[in-house]
């Protein structure tokens, strides 16, 4: 195991392990190998292998796949790596977010080296505890933030990023809860100071964060919510927002027609030309918050053209103009706040408030659909096509759909060069929304 700490999916603890030495890992399969083995493999130009990973599992064991990004790029860069795990292992649910799509494409600052295991949130059962862990017991159902690796079959995370799951919340709902609701709460109440009678414009109202924003706004009296979303989502989300507009329409004029002064808060995950539109809609003392840049994702791989276009369309902010118009512009990144700026204590307080709202039936995570790990490519394509309403969940216990199983488990060399989009609409219709 090496010198490190191990725990199960969603575990809030870390267990110290002993080993006489830390051997290097194989760059292909991740197995520990001695230097003699490495020299021999290099001399014979043979890839490192894992002998114990047989074609057929030993009795009582099974191969648990783990989605991996082998290099930045398109969907064909995803693969499944498997290790043997006991059947009594409690398998978690893992949340699939738009940031995972951007990580796969290498569309983020300082992306980690590949191969890597994506994922930033998961849920599961505690199977091991560190010596100094308080407040948790083995067998507790938990959800957790993870700095990558949340899609692995075993997850180790510090206790400050782990939270108990309410009794009536499922694992799938728990995996859909932390990222969406903490992001929405922090922007509305910590950054923008939402109060009674205010108005909010949220882009991608049908997404996980958009639905969380709508639910949290409903907890404050007389809050007006303007939302933009793809037209095919309107019927499903029309009751969650006050006014709903097509994302491709001129929503600026529509908002001003209803509210001539504009809105108090703009929540923008698109960036590009929407930055200038959002600032123009702000009332005096209004707050514009950028928390994403999904407009940069247009194709299967990282596009310099899309990045340049999005950057060029962003309105250049003049501080003097902000001063004269009494407007506020801000940014929010939950992952940076957690893992780079060490604000886990603040997020813990926010999670306690959110779980209290959940227990009082004020909010509830929206799960779009469940996907087997073998279907991770199709799940990512659904997010890429903006076809989801709420959160997509990777569920280890779910069997892959026969239509997808063969295409997802292995990728041929030809598949890396050819991309088939003919089945996109079929996949959208086949996967029902889980409300």
């Amino acid at each position: 195991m090496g010198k490190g700490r191990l725990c199960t999916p969603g575990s809030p603890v870390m267990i110290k392990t002993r080993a006489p030495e830390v051997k290097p890992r194989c760059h292909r399969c991740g197995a520990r190998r001695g230097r003699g083995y490495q020299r021999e493999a290099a001399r014979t130009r043979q890839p490192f292998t894992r002998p114990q990973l047989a074609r057929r599992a030993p009795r009582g064991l099974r191969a648990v796949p783990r989605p991996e990004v082998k290099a930045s790029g398109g969907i064909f860069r995803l693969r499944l790596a498997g290790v043997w795990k006991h059947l009594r292992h409690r398998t978690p649910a893992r949340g699939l977010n738009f940031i995972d799509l951007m990580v796969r494409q290498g569309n983020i600052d300082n992306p980690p080296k590949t191969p890597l295991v994506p994922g930033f949130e998961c849920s599961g059962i505690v199977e091991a505890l560190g010596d100094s862990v308080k407040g948790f017991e083995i067998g507790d159902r938990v959800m957790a933030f993870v700095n990558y690796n949340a899609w692995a079959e075993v997850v180790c995370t510090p206790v400050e990023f782990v939270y108990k799951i309410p009794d009536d919340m499922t694992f799938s709902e728990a995996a859909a809860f932390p990222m969406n609701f903490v992001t929405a709460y922090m922007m509305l109440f910590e950054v923008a100071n939402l109060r009674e009678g205010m108005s909010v414009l949220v882009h991608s109202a049908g997404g996980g964060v958009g639905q969380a924003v709508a639910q949290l706004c409903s907890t404050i009296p007389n809050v007006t919510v303007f939302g933009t979303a793809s037209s095919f989502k309107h019927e499903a989300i029309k009751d969650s927002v006050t006014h709903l507009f097509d994302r491709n329409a001129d929503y600026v004029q529509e908002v001003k027609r209803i509210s001539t002064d504009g809105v108090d808060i703009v929540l923008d995950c698109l960036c590009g030309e929407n930055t200038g539109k959002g600032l123009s809609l702000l009332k005096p003392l209004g707050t514009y918050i950028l928390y994403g840049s999904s407009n940069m994702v247009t194709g299967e791989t990282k596009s310099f053209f899309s990045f340049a276009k999005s950057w060029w369309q962003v309105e250049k902010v003049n501080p003097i103009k902000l001063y004269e118009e009494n407007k506020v512009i801000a940014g929010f990144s939950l992952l940076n706040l957690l893992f780079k700026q060490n604000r886990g204590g603040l997020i813990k307080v926010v999670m306690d408030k959110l779980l209290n709202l959940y227990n009082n039936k004020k909010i509830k995570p929206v799960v779009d659909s469940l996907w087997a790990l073998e279907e991770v490519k199709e799940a990512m394509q659904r997010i890429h096509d903006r076809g989801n309403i709420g959160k997509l969940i990777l569920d280890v216990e779910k069997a892959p759909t026969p239509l997808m199983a063969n295409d997802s488990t292995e990728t041929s060399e030809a598949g890396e060069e050819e991309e088939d989009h003919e089945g996109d609409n079929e996949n959208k219709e086949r996967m029902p929304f889980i409300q």
Side-chain angles (χ1 to χ4, degrees):
M1 298 294 182
K3 294 180 180 179
R5 301 186 173 201
L6 296 177
C7 68
T8 56
S11 170
V13 299
M14 299 183 290
I15 293 181
K16 296 180 179 179
T17 60
R18 297 180 179 178
E21 79 176 300
V22 179
K23 297 181 180 179
R25 284 189 181 276
C26 165
H27 72 287
R28 290 182 179 271
C29 67
R32 301 285 188 185
R33 296 299 181 194
R35 295 187 182 278
Y37 183 92
Q38 288 185 334
R39 286 195 296 267
E40 178 65 18
R43 186 181 66 81
T44 59
R45 296 182 179 273
Q46 295 296 323
F48 300 149
T49 59
R50 180 176 291 185
Q52 69 270 25
L53 195 57
R55 180 179 299 273
R56 183 176 180 181
R59 178 175 297 180
L61 299 177
R62 67 169 180 170
V64 181
R66 175 186 64 198
E68 229 176 38
V69 175
K70 61 182 178 180
S72 299
I75 286 180
F76 63 85
R77 296 295 187 182
L78 289 165
R79 67 182 180 187
L80 288 180
V83 296
W84 299 126
K85 204 64 186 173
H86 287 84
L87 286 173
R88 65 176 181 269
H89 174 62
R90 305 296 181 90
T91 54
R94 302 93 183 260
L96 178 57
N97 297 284
F98 200 87
I99 185 64
D100 296 312
L101 177 62
M102 299 185 72
V103 167
R104 190 204 77 207
Q105 293 188 350
N107 234 331
I108 60 174
D109 290 334
N110 301 317
K113 293 182 180 180
T114 55
L116 64 91
V117 179
F120 298 95
E121 62 182 340
C122 60
S123 62
I125 299 177
V126 178
E127 290 187 352
L129 297 171
D131 294 338
S132 61
V133 172
K134 306 295 182 183
F136 291 93
E137 296 180 356
I138 294 177
D140 283 347
R141 302 187 327 133
V142 295
M143 50 188 163
F145 289 110
V146 186
N147 192 15
Y148 292 101
N149 210 48
W151 293 1
E153 69 278 1
V154 175
V155 175
C156 176
T157 186
V159 66
E160 63 178 324
F161 302 140
V162 183
Y163 320 93
K164 289 185 179 180
I165 300 176
D167 294 337
D168 59 344
M169 181 183 288
T170 66
F171 282 118
S172 298
E173 291 176 334
F177 191 86
M179 286 279 287
N180 290 346
F181 278 97
V182 171
T183 298
Y185 187 97
M186 291 293 295
M187 292 191 298
L188 289 174
F189 298 104
E190 298 293 333
V191 181
N193 193 22
L194 179 65
R195 301 182 302 278
E196 180 178 354
M198 296 179 72
S199 55
V200 179
L201 169 64
V202 57
H203 291 292
S204 298
V209 174
Q211 287 294 287
V213 166
Q215 291 186 35
L216 289 173
C217 286
S218 68
T219 65
I220 306 298
N222 302 321
V223 172
T224 302
V225 180
F226 298 88
T228 68
S230 301
S231 57
F232 69 89
K233 298 183 181 181
H234 286 196
E235 184 64 27
I237 66 175
K238 63 181 180 180
D239 294 332
S240 62
V241 299
T242 313
H243 304 285
L244 188 58
F245 312 113
D246 190 336
R247 66 188 303 265
N248 297 316
D250 185 5
Y251 62 85
V252 174
Q253 295 303 320
E254 293 294 328
V255 171
K256 288 186 175 181
R257 182 178 60 83
I258 299 171
S259 176
T260 55
D261 293 336
V263 297
D264 296 290
I265 303 171
V266 175
L267 304 179
D268 182 11
C269 61
L270 305 177
C271 198
E273 62 181 353
N274 293 280
T275 300
K277 294 179 179 179
L279 288 171
S280 69
L281 283 173
L282 281 183
K283 294 180 180 179
L285 302 180
T287 303
Y288 166 91
I289 305 175
L290 180 68
Y291 69 100
S293 53
S294 63
N295 276 347
M296 289 195 302
V297 179
T298 55
E300 287 299 326
T301 59
K302 183 177 181 179
S303 170
F304 176 78
F305 174 77
S306 298
F307 174 81
K309 179 182 178 182
S310 181
W311 176 84
W312 180 260
Q313 290 178 335
V314 173
E315 181 173 320
K316 305 306 179 287
V317 177
N318 185 342
I320 300 299
K321 187 177 180 180
L322 292 176
Y323 150 73
E324 292 174 346
E325 296 181 353
N326 285 298
K327 295 182 178 179
V328 178
I329 184 170
F332 182 76
S333 169
L334 175 58
L335 296 179
N336 285 345
L337 194 68
L338 276 170
F339 303 119
K340 293 183 179 181
Q341 297 162 351
N342 301 319
R343 294 297 189 273
L346 173 61
I347 303 304
K348 179 73 172 178
V349 173
V350 171
M351 278 293 292
D352 290 340
K353 294 178 180 178
L354 288 169
L355 291 174
N356 184 56
L357 288 173
Y358 176 85
N359 291 328
N360 291 327
K361 312 299 182 183
K362 298 291 184 65
I363 60 175
K364 183 179 178 63
V366 179
V367 177
D368 173 78
S369 47
L370 304 179
W371 300 77
L373 295 184
E374 293 84 352
E375 300 170 338
V376 64
K377 296 180 183 180
E378 289 77 13
M380 274 200 167
Q381 188 64 52
R382 183 172 177 83
I383 283 189
H384 181 277
D385 296 338
R386 279 72 167 178
N388 58 297
I389 297 180
K391 180 66 68 72
L392 276 71
I393 300 297
L394 298 178
D395 187 350
V396 177
E397 295 183 352
K398 182 181 182 299
T401 303
L403 293 176
M404 298 182 179
N406 294 333
D407 295 334
S408 298
T409 53
E410 296 181 359
T411 302
S412 65
E413 293 296 327
E416 295 189 2
E417 301 295 332
E418 300 178 4
E419 298 178 9
D420 183 10
H421 300 288
E422 295 180 358
D424 289 347
N425 293 332
E426 180 183 353
N427 292 342
K428 289 181 183 178
E429 296 175 358
R430 186 187 60 81
M431 295 301 298
F433 294 138
I434 301 177
Q435 301 290 351

